[in-house]
Amino acid sequence: MFSIIVAAGWPIWPLLACSVLALALVIERFTSLKTARVLPPKLLDEAINVSRNAVPGPDVVTKLEKNSALGEVLAAGFRALNANPRCSEEDVRAAMEASGRTVAHRLERWLPALATIASAAPLLGLLGTVIGMIEIFGSQSPAGGAVGSGNPAQLAHGISIALYNTAFGLIVAIPTLIFWRYFRTRVDEYLLNLELAGERFARHLNALRK
């Protein structure tokens, strides 16, 4: 494998860097997008039960905020009421929406980088192939003007080495694209559920405020 990488020339090194970066981003996203860290199933019901009669104190709100992404959104509603018990429903919703935008930005972090790698890797592979073909045909130019003096076996070997760049570019791009689509769908589902949970919690806080 190392001999193939060396033979493929310098264009394959950016592809190797892209593959390492893509792997690191995939691992990071799998860790950050766990359900327990974004949308714990019972957290909304627990937050509603805790605040049946009154808004919890700052310690409980801080604990809720550190629990997960959903906890941050719910805590923003609590903080709005703690800061001003007479605040309007619009103020509570605005506070939760602002927190939701921050959470959404964090959930979408690094997804553009994965998409860029998935798009650029085939082009980098093609670039390596073109550069390799140029070098191969340049080295096969007839010596002394004698047509056909090039070595066919050497030419075939050179072409196969050049095509490794395209193959490696696709090997990097295809899994990266799959993971990007997977994370994109997962984030969209999280955002929808966060919005629905925030709407339900806002109605609860409005009733509590009255």
Side-chain angles (χ1 to χ4, degrees), residues 78-99:
F78 281 147
R79 290 190 189 281
L81 285 181
N82 279 330
N84 181 12
R86 296 184 178 181
C87 66
S88 65
E89 181 181 358
E90 289 75 16
D91 293 334
V92 174
R93 289 180 179 273
M96 295 179 64
E97 288 174 0
S99 177

Side-chain angles (χ1 to χ4, degrees), residues 22 38 52 77 101 136 157 194:
V38 180
R52 284 292 182 186
R101 285 192 292 270
I136 290 167
H157 175 71
L194 283 171

Side-chain angles (χ1 to χ4, degrees), residues 49-186:
N49 290 331
V50 167
S51 58
R52 284 292 182 186
N53 300 319
V55 178
D59 293 341
V60 176
V61 175
T62 300
K63 185 178 179 180
L64 176 63
E65 185 178 33
K66 295 180 179 179
N67 178 274
S68 60
L70 174 60
E72 291 184 38
V73 176
L74 303 183
F78 281 147
R79 290 190 189 281
L81 285 181
N82 279 330
N84 181 12
R86 296 184 178 181
C87 66
S88 65
E89 181 181 358
E90 289 75 16
D91 293 334
V92 174
R93 289 180 179 273
M96 295 179 64
E97 288 174 0
S99 177
R101 285 192 292 270
T102 302
V103 168
H105 177 73
R106 190 166 64 249
L107 293 180
E108 294 174 343
R109 183 185 299 171
W110 307 126
L111 293 188
L114 278 177
T116 300
I117 292 173
S119 300
L123 298 178
L124 289 173
L126 180 60
L127 174 64
T129 300
V130 171
I131 292 175
M133 297 290 282
I134 291 173
E135 293 178 354
I136 290 167
F137 284 109
S139 65
Q140 291 291 317
S141 58
V147 179
S149 62
N151 187 339
Q154 183 183 0
L155 177 61
H157 175 71
I159 292 174
S160 67
I161 293 297
L163 290 176
Y164 280 129
N165 284 279
T166 298
F168 197 78
L170 293 175
I171 289 173
V172 173
I174 293 173
T176 304
L177 179 61
I178 292 173
F179 279 116
W180 174 75
R181 290 299 307 168
Y182 169 75
F183 290 133
R184 180 71 265 174
T185 302
R186 192 167 183 175

